[in-house]
Amino acid sequence: MPADSQSPFRFASASLAGLQPSATLHINERVQALRAAGRDVLHLGFGESRFPVPAAVVAALREHAEERSYLPVLGLPELRAAIAAFYGRHFGLAVAAEQVVIGPGSKALLLALALATDGAVLLPTPAWVSYAPQAQLARRSVVPVPMDPAAGYALDPERLQHALQKAAANWQRPEMLLLNTPSNPLGSAQNADALQACAEFARRNRLMVVSDEIYSLTAHNARGAASMAAHYPEGTVVTGGLSKHLSLGGWRFGVAILPPGAAGRELAAALQIVAGEIWSCVAAPVQHAALAAYGADPAIAQHIAQSARLHGARTRVLHSVLQEFGVPCPLPDAGFYLYPNFERWRAVLAQRNVHTSAQLAAHLLEKYAIATLPGSAFHDDALTLRLSSSYLDTELAAGGAQVFAEFARDADDCISRGHPRLQRAASTLAEFISGLGS
Ligand SMILES: Cc1ncc(COP(=O)(O)O)c(C=O)c1O
């Protein structure tokens, strides 16, 4: 941060040094500039579910718009009970209301967890952009642990154990393991075996696990995604919220499911202090809307299932192009992300002056008008990109409503209707990859 000697502000260098506005913001600015110059950019860099909001949830928000009093810091008791029951119905987890804490987005809860606990953070990578900056804001060090692309980035306890030992030799004591399944940026989920192995590792080392499972309810097939809480209930905090499966990112609603018993109660008390000193409570009307969203209404369960299947159909359009040209990429399990790896074309790309993932993303943007995020934003040195299918043809709210309605009418044929930009992105990607040669 530039130090202006005349300024009355002195910045917290330990918290902020090296941090930049997020990679997503940067790419958005570049896309705006290109659009202003008249180019029609296909935005695969933006990860936001943009389907319509269920009518009952909108109605609940409207109905409670005039409620303006503070509510309990950890959430309305009836809402915490409804969320506990929801986790039972959807994930088969036995959760009591006292284990549920709500916040203004899961991002805020993740930061509160980082502030309320201690020690270095073990972070399997590639990992979402905000975990490391949040750890730094909480003055905690991060131990990145790269997972093996050849193994589909499956959680590998041996790599984690090795990282733990190396950290100990460096006077660090990791106390927290931060997982994200299904993953942003990978688009894939860890299977039950990988989670079980990871649970044994965490139990052996008495690590707290924070498992960010915000994409769980966007799992493309009916089997759903496995939860770490089923494997390590005594030591796991699961985070989630309404941003992904109900396209409600801007309403800012997140949940944390704490472990049962005394450990969970202690953590709830600590979170109550952090939350009480930062956000006081989630906005009252939003809590009432969340009560509708987490209720047992079959129409909402159906809306969630339809959103997830539609994300799957849209994401597979891009995945099949990558497959056709043999680009290594994890199979998408949930949400709207793909994580292709272009290492095989390193020499060809070098001839185009592309040596890093950031240069690869810039090349795609300038030459093909396709916006993506580079793997480097996710702690990855390889020539990888994160593509998102979420934004195309839903740029306007009407587009989101239209593709959603088309899918409800005829799921099998919906991609050929209302998806011109997604199809153009697929053919432009094909043109780029075929131009690389085999
Ligand atoms: C992996 C992951 N975790 C957490 C979040 C934050 O979600 P929210 O704060 O909207 O609940 C996001 C949003 O992009 C995400 O991709």
Side-chain angles (χ1 to χ4, degrees), residues 47 104-108 110 128 131 180 184 212 214-215 240-241 243-244 249 252-254 337:
S106 65
K107 196 186 251 184
L110 287 163
W128 182 47
Y131 300 132
N180 174 213
N184 172 8
D212 176 353
I214 192 152
Y215 290 95
S243 301
K244 312 300 172 186
R252 310 309 302 131
F253 188 88
Y337 300 120

Side-chain angles (χ1 to χ4, degrees), residues 71 113 121 128 325 372 377 388 430:
L71 294 182
L113 284 161
V121 178
W128 182 47
F325 291 97
T372 60
S388 168

Side-chain angles (χ1 to χ4, degrees), residues 196-217:
Q196 180 58 30
C198 195
E200 282 158 23
F201 159 78
R203 193 171 281 127
R204 205 168 48 242
N205 291 288
R206 297 190 46 217
L207 294 176
M208 161 187 185
V209 173
V210 172
S211 186
D212 176 353
E213 300 181 7
I214 192 152
Y215 290 95
S216 277
L217 289 161

Side-chain angles (χ1 to χ4, degrees), residues 131-201:
Y131 300 132
Q134 285 201 339
Q136 187 176 332
L137 290 175
R139 311 264 172 119
R140 299 175 71 160
S141 55
V142 172
V143 180
V145 193
M147 294 297 131
D148 182 4
Y153 303 97
L155 285 170
D156 180 348
E158 270 183 37
R159 287 183 180 222
L160 292 169
Q161 190 69 51
H162 181 68
L164 202 62
Q165 274 148 5
K166 253 179 77 182
N170 197 25
W171 306 102
Q172 282 176 313
R173 170 73 181 108
E175 307 276 3
M176 182 198 281
L177 170 62
L178 189 36
L179 305 182
N180 174 213
T181 181
S183 156
N184 172 8
L186 300 174
S188 56
Q190 300 290 335
N191 65 28
D193 289 345
L195 292 182
Q196 180 58 30
C198 195
E200 282 158 23
F201 159 78

Side-chain angles (χ1 to χ4, degrees), residues 2-11:
D4 175 351
S5 58
Q6 301 305 311
S7 161
F9 302 108
R10 313 277 175 272
F11 293 98

